[in-house]
Amino acid sequence: MTPTPHRTNPRSHATNAHPLRFGYGTNGLADLRLDDALALLADLGYDGVGLTLDHMHLDPLAPDVAARTRKVARRLDTLGLGVTVETGARYVLDPRRKHGPSLLDPDPADRARRVDLLIRAVRIAADLGAHAVHCFSGVLPPHQAHLANPATPATPTHLAEDTAWKRLAEALTPVLDAATHADVPLAVEPEPGHLLATLADFHHLRRILGDPPALGLTLDIGHCQCLEALPPADCVRAAAPWLRHVQIEDMRRGHHEHLPFGDGEIDFPPVLEALAATGYQALTVVELPRHSHAGPHFASQSLPFLHRAARAIPAGAEGSTP
């Protein structure tokens, strides 16, 4: 597969008032065929799509994935949609374990399956001209401590976390090599409940790996509201040098539940102002993975909300520095 150039969207809604480009995640349109989902987003005026590789949407394990990828690339180009590749499909590798196996799995063969999926995702992203490949760490296995000492209670410990961080770094090394070769950033997402759950955890991983250029950050605005010490707008400013992908939805403090805009606690104009000020030019993707039952409705409601919030950014704010 021959990599295609990173595309820019001629229909972009970026203006002098805000340079932001909005997308919608296919994990919130799981009941639609991929071609129908892409056409819907283009018709609604989105600038791009967060494409989750899954059995119903560009299955990364399909034997004809190369041909399917070329077809999707042509469709994206025709529709003028940018794309980020996401790898958070729940059961794409294991029909019984949500997000399993992970990069932290005790079984080396299972960890290798997840690594293979991520390398496939990098290759697909290169062929699509994607801005980045998203991934996350996975949860710390509850029996991790038993690996070092069978007499240890089956609860997470500092020793278990240290082992998990080493496993995560080792597993991501070949993925980062592939990302470097493909010139596609790997954007790791802090995910509530996972080993890598916060911005501080991302920086811990970055230090372990030696700060490789291919390693970037997926920042989920809702997650910032859920558990970060800083307000979401301050999280954006703090994360600015490493931002490669942004996900956005509403959320409430202490509750990891992705909510439609207006159903949570986030004040969005300051968040978008901070994001515009960073100079971030990739996609900001609406992330409503539990709302596929009404995906077209929420897709149609989300973009006008974001445009209203963006219009509330004070004139000249996009030229400020974070």
Side-chain angles (χ1 to χ4, degrees), residues 1 5 12 22 36 40-41 51 58 78 83 88 109 114 124-125 145 195 285 308:
M1 294 188 288
S12 175
F22 298 119
D36 291 339
L40 171 71
L41 298 181
L51 175 54
L58 195 53
T78 297
V83 61
R114 177 62 60 171
I124 290 169
L195 175 70
V285 172
R308 289 193 297 271

Side-chain angles (χ1 to χ4, degrees), residues 4 10 33 51 57 64 67-68 70 92 101 110 117-118 122 131 136 139 141 149 157 162 233 239 262 279 309 311:
T4 57
R33 297 177 182 88
L51 175 54
H57 289 162
D64 60 343
R68 293 189 187 189
R70 289 192 293 271
V92 70
D110 277 350
L117 175 69
L118 294 180
V122 168
H131 300 291
F136 44 56
V139 299
N149 182 359
T157 66
D162 183 61
R311 284 195 295 269

Side-chain angles (χ1 to χ4, degrees), residues 116-130:
D116 176 70
L117 175 69
L118 294 180
I119 291 174
R120 287 171 179 260
V122 168
R123 293 170 181 161
I124 290 169
D127 280 15
L128 294 177

Side-chain angles (χ1 to χ4, degrees), residues 97-115:
R97 288 189 293 163
K98 179 182 176 182
H99 294 149
S102 80
L103 297 171
L104 307 178
D105 200 286
D107 186 340
D110 277 350
R111 292 199 301 275
R113 291 173 61 204
R114 177 62 60 171
V115 169

